[in-house]
Amino acid sequence: MSIPSAEVAADFRDALQDLKQNSRPEINNLTIIAKENTEHAQAISHELESHIKATRPEFKLPALYVLDSIVKNVGTPYTVYLGRNLYRTFMDAYLVMNESTRKAMEGLLRTWKQPVPESMDPRPVFSPEVTGDIENALNKIRSVQVQSTPAHRPVHALPPRPAAIAAWRNTPTPPQNGARQSASQDPRIRAPYPPVQQFGLYPPSMPAPNPYGQPQSQNEPVSSVDLEDLKTEVAKSISDSQQAFAYNPADANLKQRLDALIALKTMLNTKALTPASLRDIQTQIRNLAPLPGPAPMPTFNPPTSIPPPNMHSQLHSAPPVFPPASAPPINIAQLLANMRPPMPPVTNPAAAPSTPNLADLLRRVSSPAQSSSTPAVASFYPPPFPVPPPISTPVQAPAVPAPAPAGTPTANLAQLLAQFSKPAAAPPAPVTQPVPPFPVSLPQLLSQPPVAGPVPGSAEWLLNALKVLPTNGTPSNTTPMASEPMTRQSSAPTSVLNEVELTTASMKKPRLHLISRLYEAYSNQCASCGRRFENTPQGKEKKARHMDWHFKVKDPQNLKRAIHRSWYISEKEWVEYRETDETSPDEPTNGSSGTATAVKKQAKDRYVPVPQDAAIAQAPCAICQERFETQWLVEANDFVWMDAIQVGGKIYHATCWEEYSKGAGIPMPSTPERGVLGKRKAEVSTPTSGKKPRAY
Amino acid sequence: MISLPGLNLGAQPAEPLNVPALSATRTQDLAANTEYRFEVSFSRTLTLKLLSGTAEFLGTELAPASSYTFQGTKGAVFTWHGCKLEISGEADSEYVAEETQMMGYANAHFALESLREKSAQNCELGPRVLIVGPENAGKTTLARTLTAYAVKTGRQPMVVNLDPRQGMLSVPGSFTAAAFSSIVDVEEGWGSSPISGPSPIPVKMPLVYHYGLKDPEEGKVFKPLVTRMALAVTSRLEEDKASKQAGFIIDSPGGISQGKAGVYENIEHIISEFSVNVLFVLGSERLYSDLSRKYANRPTDEAVHVVRLEKSGGCVDRTEEYMKALRHAQIRAYFFGHGENTLAPHSQAANYDDLTIFKISDSTDNSAFGPDDDNVYAPTTSLYERITPSSSIVNSLLAITSASANDRQDTIRDSSVRGYMYVADIDEGKKRVKLLSPQPGQVPTNALVMGTFPEDVAALVS
């Protein structure tokens, strides 16, 4: 710690500011500074991000090249620090660029999705979560650009630029986004995250399973997808195991597992394996995947708890039926994973004439306008004709297309692919034998005729090694401490605490078993401040907001203003004051104004996504006859009309409607259009009318 | 097992660490249930980083791989599960203690949790806790630990500080109350009151009264302020559901635990005003036996659980010099911020006539009033005397009350404080006062109260 971070960062900043064109020596020089000062990575990353944000548009691209050079040549910890805000950094810059520069940026993004060339590390430069978010946003921008062309807008010009940027500054990234990004940095938190969110969100939002019935989706190249998937899964398992091992170095099982996993990883990288054996490995890995982390809490049910009879009957009676639609969401993944091995490799043929269809399918889902009724012509451009019914009612209209975009913007590509590949793989397989409730043992697997190709001996050994190890649900694997949460769960919490009497003697009794109530009971820890959250959906939501808050607080914009100590509030205000901490659903930004302005603000904050229907999109506000202004809203991850409200199929300015409705005595629709955000519904449901001083 | 109080105080340094080369970075392994105790003076800094395992500082968990910097701190990092710390910087003293009182503190927390669960079911007020004990017994440490554990459990406890010697979220000499819904700061005492920008640790919203004396006297100011504070806290809790079930924790000054011939008037006053039902006595056997005898036979609906907790071996006597430096640091932090969060106070000038300054009368003895309670609440005229600025008030703190200059003295006494100003300089010729205010704006015309405590801070503004 010889030189303070600030000094290094200042040097770096100076060098950055001289960078005005794409000059290789200068970029190399900056990369070397970064490489030699990895202990100040955070400060340097911060400097780089703020430079990209602050500098003139024409100098942004060289700075982005510096970022690119650093993450590719130095790698961690820069990938971690820069990945955290990459979405914002990238999109902020992208939005102010001209078209050719955008092309260059898209090129950069493409390389980030791949491993570093000539590197041993099979992982992409940035995790798919990060790049997936950006990709989604870019897709949406493209589609809206095309959409707005008929409105005589220059092809590549964006809707009001400054407003869009202001929106970036003032609004937090969507909570799920922040959580995802942070989660992806921290292997311990990551494990339980994406699957739960994905699957938990998915079934209710899918109107009908129709798309899956489409034949082309069955022909996807399973093996290649699987290989990538598998590699990431293995990498994740390794990091999970390492984590567990760090906490529990004495556990020989863990050690063995770790060794096996690492060997497996090298094998995957070096040898070409048949699709079938790949899948077998994947099954095993999946069963291993939810490792008890540092704070062992069973995250989801072990395979044993899956009720298979139901599935059997369904599968037997009507194989092509898409089962997940009715089954509980989380189990499906496991179940499918379990079901895979005995399946004949129907889906193996890697010859995939219709590969692009999968991509199209994805795009279609993420493009909000198209409900399931859209023909399978898989363009993501809007249909030329209007789709009146969904848009005609004020509340439902946005709600119908909403679920898909709400879930997808942050969804990473690989996961989506996984989702699509699973149902596609499942139905065509005529299941001839009972599905084993447990992961099938290797001998069983090998003895099955359909398994294509000989499994390499090393692979067999590895699978065995992985298989004999206990999986998550079994307590034998857990650390000594881990048995405590179990006992806690089995008995009612009150009774445990009742034993702690308030007497001097009772205070001296050691009750180490209760300590888990302070640690393991809240296993989801914030890495930057140490605050713990429950490992429940509510806990995750809270943590997501908490991470958002951290993000907001770190905004370099804040540091430029002079900050003062505020006056203390008066006695009366204090008595009426309610704590709104950073994890409570209320956005503190809504609360700082008085009641009168709060109402007005509410009306102004209403927005509708830009309608896909060209006729409606051209129409002005029916009250004031002025056109709406399109702008990009980060929260919605979509282009929206701010200060707009949709009533009876028509869109009005929310403030106009408010005045009109007041005069006419019509109540404002109680559900604001924010409902389209799906996930953020919870935040809106509590009206922010009261006086709530900012609780930073 | 040494159970005699006082005997185990010096016996702890089981494993003295030889302080290695100054400011060298070293790692320290801690076994489960041990703590690393350290003292850092104000002229040095010590940086701690949790490399693996779990660790907590006064109940607040340390984040993995984050650096915490301490200056002018006497503290301890405890681990329930064992951990590895990276330590850099200089400590005046440091050692690892294997015998700690943390289990007792945790038990206290779990007992309170059990009460909180019950009160959540019945929608009634949660446990009302008062912590008493002599000076340097670890009262504030216990209060912070209990608060941190409660916050960790998802509660929102109210914390009331009645100890003028150490400020909580404000300057020394004040009484404060605040609900804690977010993590308690590790580096900066209890944390920070609101500032006009973001803070890396969520700020807390305190209610502040000005006491302005060093020790709680039995008469004119302490008791009325306790009553006032109790009124505010209970009326807030009546409506504030989240804090209601969590109850409150009161940190008290050591002075009130002295007592006079076994009578602890101020403690009794606090207990009755706040309807305290859990009384933690730290250390002193005598205080414990006096109080448990006093509250032994109360009807069940007003029962007070008197519980004695061991004083931690880590409690060290803090010299007057250290306490003074601590107070100055708190005052400095009020105006200028703490650590990297620098604040920008505002210098302003005012004429003598613009300011209405009241000074607490020096005669704080209650002989003039007599000890009977009736008199205490009666309006008094000699509570404050209005003074004109003179060079004698340079370097002192002025509390900006929310009362106007013409209010009665007991109204001024009972009014909450909006903030503090510091008298930087006085020009007696021009009759101008140079003030340091936390915020820009007009010089407040409210009644300003100047106490005799905290003492003057020289050269806050250079």
Side-chain angles (χ1 to χ4, degrees):
Chain A
M1 301 240 173
S2 47
I3 325 166
S5 280
E7 235 174 287
V8 177
D11 282 353
F12 189 80
R13 182 176 54 225
D14 290 344
L16 257 183
Q17 267 152 4
D18 294 333
L19 180 74
K20 303 222 157 107
Q21 53 183 332
N22 185 7
S23 131
R24 178 166 271 276
E26 280 186 67
I27 291 175
N28 278 348
N29 185 29
L30 282 160
T31 312
I32 289 166
I33 296 182
K35 192 170 199 164
E36 286 170 354
N37 292 291
T38 42
E39 71 266 37
H40 305 300
Q42 188 162 16
I44 289 177
S45 309
H46 184 77
E47 220 43 80
L48 183 52
E49 279 167 4
S50 40
H51 174 75
I52 294 176
K53 181 177 278 184
T55 193
R56 288 164 60 182
E58 59 266 38
F59 303 154
K60 281 187 202 287
L61 187 65
L64 278 164
Y65 282 138
V66 173
L67 186 154
D68 179 66
S69 168
I70 289 176
V71 293
K72 282 182 184 157
N73 293 310
V74 190
T76 46
Y78 288 97
T79 42
V80 176
Y81 287 121
L82 291 165
R84 238 174 243 167
N85 295 339
L86 188 65
Y87 179 78
R88 185 180 269 242
T89 312
F90 189 93
M91 293 307 295
D92 261 347
Y94 189 87
L95 285 173
V96 296
M97 292 292 191
N98 61 26
E99 190 56 24
S100 62
T101 325
R102 284 187 180 181
K103 279 269 164 359
M105 286 183 71
E106 282 162 19
L108 271 182
L109 179 65
R110 226 169 291 132
T111 63
W112 289 344
K113 287 188 282 190
Q114 288 153 8
V116 181
E118 299 167 23
S119 151
M120 300 297 286
D121 194 338
R123 285 170 303 174
V125 179
F126 282 109
S127 71
E129 280 95 323
V130 177
T131 46
D133 286 352
I134 300 176
E135 191 69 25
N136 274 324
L138 293 189
N139 277 339
K140 199 148 278 168
I141 289 175
R142 282 184 211 122
S143 73
V144 171
Q145 271 178 349
V146 174
Q147 156 89 32
S148 53
T149 321
H152 306 295
R153 198 180 279 141
V155 180
H156 298 300
L158 273 168
R161 204 170 280 160
I165 295 164
W168 280 103
R169 299 247 161 83
N170 297 336
T171 51
T173 39
Q176 68 269 44
N177 199 359
R180 173 83 41 97
Q181 286 178 356
S182 69
S184 69
Q185 311 312 334
D186 190 341
R188 287 160 304 163
I189 312 174
R190 183 180 173 179
Y193 237 91
V196 175
Q197 270 201 349
Q198 280 302 315
F199 291 113
L201 198 84
Y202 208 62
S205 66
M206 282 313 291
N210 292 358
Y212 304 120
Q214 287 158 7
Q216 65 264 32
S217 62
Q218 295 171 7
N219 291 331
E220 53 173 307
V222 174
S223 62
S224 68
V225 168
D226 274 354
L227 187 61
E228 282 315 302
D229 265 6
L230 194 51
K231 281 181 183 171
T232 19
E233 274 178 56
V234 170
K236 205 183 85 186
S237 294
I238 289 178
S239 68
D240 285 353
S241 302
Q242 277 169 338
Q243 195 66 36
F245 189 59
Y247 269 77
N248 213 9
D251 195 329
N253 276 351
L254 275 174
K255 175 91 173 71
Q256 196 189 348
R257 174 196 292 200
L258 197 55
D259 289 346
L261 282 168
I262 290 169
L264 178 66
K265 188 181 162 199
T266 28
M267 201 184 71
L268 280 175
N269 286 333
T270 50
K271 290 190 183 174
L273 297 174
T274 62
S277 53
L278 280 179
R279 242 180 291 124
D280 296 346
I281 295 170
Q282 189 174 34
T283 313
Q284 297 292 355
I285 296 294
R286 290 224 171 133
N287 291 332
L288 280 179
L291 259 178
M297 287 285 286
T299 46
F300 44 79
N301 299 336
T304 26
S305 67
I306 299 164
N310 183 21
M311 289 295 291
H312 285 314
S313 59
Q314 271 191 354
L315 282 175
H316 282 303
S317 58
V321 164
F322 175 50
S326 61
I330 293 169
N331 291 347
I332 297 165
Q334 296 227 331
L335 206 109
L336 285 172
N338 289 338
M339 277 165 51
R340 277 189 178 187
M343 265 191 291
V346 183
T347 51
N348 275 349
S354 51
T355 338
N357 284 335
L358 188 70
D360 286 341
L361 199 70
L362 284 176
R363 280 198 215 110
R364 216 178 51 228
V365 173
S366 62
S367 149
Q370 279 148 354
S371 58
S372 56
S373 64
T374 321
V377 186
S379 110
F380 63 85
Y381 301 134
F385 51 87
V387 192
I391 309 180
S392 58
T393 50
V395 180
Q396 280 170 352
V400 173
T408 40
T410 52
N412 78 56
L413 208 63
Q415 278 173 346
L416 264 179
L417 282 171
Q419 275 186 356
F420 279 90
S421 72
K422 274 174 218 150
V431 180
T432 49
Q433 65 225 83
V435 180
F438 264 112
V440 265
S441 69
L442 190 75
Q444 245 181 311
L445 278 176
L446 289 176
S447 66
Q448 276 166 29
V451 172
V455 178
S458 59
E460 187 180 348
W461 171 80
L462 280 171
L463 284 174
N464 271 324
L466 291 174
K467 182 165 50 62
V468 290
L469 298 175
T471 48
N472 176 37
T474 49
S476 59
N477 178 23
T478 47
T479 60
M481 271 146 37
S483 55
E484 287 156 17
M486 307 291 271
T487 51
R488 184 182 70 85
Q489 285 173 338
S490 58
S491 53
T494 19
S495 59
V496 176
L497 285 184
N498 276 345
E499 107 195 33
V500 190
E501 291 166 39
L502 258 178
T503 60
T504 303
S506 161
M507 291 298 122
K508 290 178 181 157
K509 275 187 212 158
R511 294 187 184 86
L512 283 171
H513 59 282
L514 288 178
I515 300 303
S516 66
R517 296 175 66 92
L518 293 171
Y519 283 85
E520 285 82 356
Y522 303 90
S523 56
N524 196 350
Q525 194 185 14
C526 165
S528 32
C529 72
R531 182 166 181 180
R532 284 176 178 271
F533 299 90
E534 275 176 321
N535 204 347
T536 59
Q538 291 93 331
K540 279 171 189 155
E541 228 169 87
K542 275 192 165 188
K543 189 175 170 203
R545 283 190 288 261
H546 175 80
M547 299 312 290
D548 263 5
W549 173 83
H550 271 304
F551 182 83
K552 265 190 281 185
V553 165
K554 280 186 194 145
D555 190 345
Q557 295 291 321
N558 293 324
L559 298 176
K560 288 175 187 154
R561 289 181 292 148
I563 297 174
H564 316 285
R565 172 84 51 200
S566 307
W567 297 122
Y568 302 128
I569 54 178
S570 75
E571 199 175 60
K572 184 167 179 296
E573 282 171 312
W574 186 83
V575 167
E576 285 162 8
Y577 177 75
R578 300 291 171 266
E579 287 293 322
T580 46
D581 75 324
E582 78 282 2
T583 65
S584 55
D586 256 337
E587 287 290 304
T589 43
N590 291 348
S592 49
S593 48
T595 319
T597 49
V599 171
K600 200 171 175 190
K601 231 177 137 190
Q602 255 186 349
K604 280 205 153 178
D605 278 349
R606 284 166 182 262
Y607 62 85
V608 290
V610 174
Q612 304 283 335
D613 178 350
I616 297 181
Q618 298 293 324
C621 166
I623 296 173
C624 68
Q625 297 300 325
E626 276 177 34
R627 301 182 65 92
F628 295 94
E629 283 194 14
T630 308
Q631 70 179 67
W632 175 260
L633 186 69
V634 192
E635 282 176 337
N637 203 22
D638 202 351
F639 280 91
V640 299
W641 288 345
M642 288 308 290
D643 184 22
I645 186 171
Q646 194 166 24
V647 182
K650 282 188 177 173
I651 300 178
Y652 307 91
H653 281 122
T655 36
C656 293
W657 176 258
E658 193 182 40
E659 275 175 33
Y660 166 75
S661 60
K662 247 186 234 158
I666 308 167
M668 287 283 275
S670 57
T671 325
E673 276 64 24
R674 280 218 198 172
V676 295
L677 297 177
K679 285 209 145 182
R680 290 176 79 89
K681 256 181 188 163
E683 299 179 12
V684 176
S685 62
T686 40
T688 53
S689 51
K691 205 186 251 183
K692 275 174 193 148
R694 231 176 150 109
Y696 263 111
Chain B
M1 185 75 192
I2 309 163
S3 59
L4 285 173
L7 254 187
N8 57 351
L9 292 188
Q12 295 302 320
E15 197 182 317
L17 308 171
N18 297 326
V19 182
L22 292 178
S23 77
T25 301
R26 60 247 187 224
T27 56
Q28 172 72 46
D29 283 299
L30 290 183
N33 303 318
T34 60
E35 71 185 10
Y36 165 77
R37 294 176 181 159
F38 61 90
E39 290 180 36
V40 203
S41 67
F42 281 93
S43 53
R44 298 173 169 182
T45 55
L46 184 77
T47 305
L48 297 181
K49 192 168 162 187
L50 177 63
L51 296 178
S52 65
T54 66
E56 51 187 47
F57 179 80
L58 307 187
T60 303
E61 200 177 339
L62 300 186
S66 296
S67 292
Y68 292 92
T69 306
F70 297 94
Q71 196 170 19
T73 312
K74 297 173 193 256
V77 173
F78 179 83
T79 175
W80 290 105
H81 304 116
C83 71
K84 191 192 245 308
L85 291 175
E86 185 187 281
I87 304 165
S88 55
E90 317 160 37
D92 295 65
S93 86
E94 53 176 4
Y95 62 91
V96 173
E98 291 180 354
E99 195 178 311
T100 72
Q101 299 305 329
M102 283 305 283
M103 195 66 239
Y105 294 179
N107 278 330
H109 163 72
F110 293 125
L112 295 180
E113 268 305 297
S114 149
L115 292 177
R116 284 175 189 138
E117 274 171 14
K118 271 178 217 152
S119 59
Q121 282 161 12
N122 307 333
C123 280
E124 57 192 26
L125 194 55
R128 285 88 63 199
V129 181
L130 171 63
I131 300 170
V132 295
E135 298 284 348
N136 298 321
K139 293 183 295 297
T140 307
T141 299
L142 175 62
R144 268 187 72 174
T145 308
L146 292 177
T147 308
Y149 282 169
V151 167
K152 215 170 168 182
T153 317
R155 307 283 182 193
Q156 197 185 92
M158 188 74 74
V159 182
V160 180
N161 177 38
L162 298 179
D163 183 1
R165 296 210 181 188
Q166 245 179 303
M168 177 187 90
L169 303 169
S170 188
V171 299
S174 62
F175 290 166
T176 45
F180 281 75
S181 66
S182 49
I183 201 158
V184 185
D185 201 351
V186 170
E187 295 170 341
E188 194 190 349
W190 285 93
S192 165
S193 68
I195 53 180
S196 64
S199 143
I201 292 287
V203 296
K204 323 290 185 252
M205 189 66 79
L207 171 66
V208 183
Y209 296 100
H210 185 60
Y211 180 61
L213 298 171
K214 184 176 185 183
D215 287 304
E217 53 8 308
E218 301 187 11
K220 293 183 291 183
V221 191
F222 186 81
K223 282 187 182 174
L225 275 188
V226 166
T227 307
R228 187 76 184 189
M229 177 74 91
L231 197 68
V233 168
T234 38
S235 42
R236 160 127 181 215
L237 291 189
E238 220 138 88
E239 299 298 323
D240 189 343
K241 290 196 180 63
S243 288
K244 184 179 183 180
Q245 55 177 30
F248 51 78
I249 298 165
I250 306 171
D251 189 11
S252 73
I256 62 170
S257 299
Q258 299 283 341
K260 280 181 188 156
V263 178
Y264 305 90
E265 226 180 275
N266 280 327
I267 293 183
E268 286 164 26
H269 182 71
I270 297 172
I271 289 177
S272 70
E273 292 295 322
F274 280 93
S275 329
V276 166
N277 67 348
V278 179
L279 182 60
F280 287 124
V281 182
L282 269 167
S284 174
E285 294 267 18
R286 171 160 172 220
L287 181 63
Y288 170 67
S289 88
D290 284 348
L291 288 172
S292 50
R293 207 177 317 125
K294 160 104 185 159
Y295 290 100
N297 303 310
R298 300 251 291 193
T300 33
D301 55 330
E302 295 173 38
V304 178
H305 301 271
V306 184
V307 178
R308 180 169 172 272
L309 288 169
E310 291 294 338
K311 174 177 168 177
S312 164
C315 294
V316 283
D317 284 348
R318 295 172 294 182
T319 57
E320 186 47 40
E321 195 185 339
Y322 171 82
M323 290 304 289
K324 194 173 166 188
L326 184 68
R327 288 194 292 266
H328 287 193
Q330 284 190 336
I331 294 169
R332 182 171 290 275
Y334 174 77
F335 290 103
F336 294 97
H338 183 271
E340 288 176 1
N341 295 312
T342 46
L343 302 179
H346 188 74
S347 276
Q348 50 191 192
N351 293 321
Y352 278 8
D353 302 341
D354 299 341
L355 302 174
T356 319
I357 303 176
F358 293 95
K359 190 171 195 290
I360 296 178
S361 309
D362 285 333
S363 54
T364 54
D365 63 298
N366 48 8
S367 55
F369 302 92
D372 59 322
D373 275 1
D374 294 336
N375 241 346
V376 168
Y377 299 98
T380 58
T381 46
S382 60
L383 189 60
Y384 299 112
E385 52 176 325
R386 182 160 176 191
I387 57 165
T388 42
S390 68
S391 56
S392 65
I393 67 163
V394 173
N395 294 344
S396 56
L397 276 181
L398 302 176
I400 309 164
T401 65
S402 47
S404 88
N406 304 322
D407 276 334
R408 284 169 17 157
Q409 293 212 341
D410 54 334
T411 314
I412 295 173
R413 174 194 65 196
D414 289 348
S415 69
S416 66
V417 171
R418 307 277 291 137
Y420 285 87
M421 288 192 301
Y422 172 78
V423 183
D425 200 9
I426 283 195
D427 186 334
E428 291 195 316
K430 290 181 183 165
K431 302 206 165 197
R432 298 276 288 173
V433 186
K434 206 176 133 203
L435 296 163
L436 187 71
S437 162
Q439 276 191 30
Q442 285 191 324
V443 174
T445 55
N446 297 3
L448 306 173
V449 175
M450 197 184 111
T452 57
F453 185 85
E455 66 286 308
D456 295 348
V457 187
L460 190 63
V461 189
S462 49

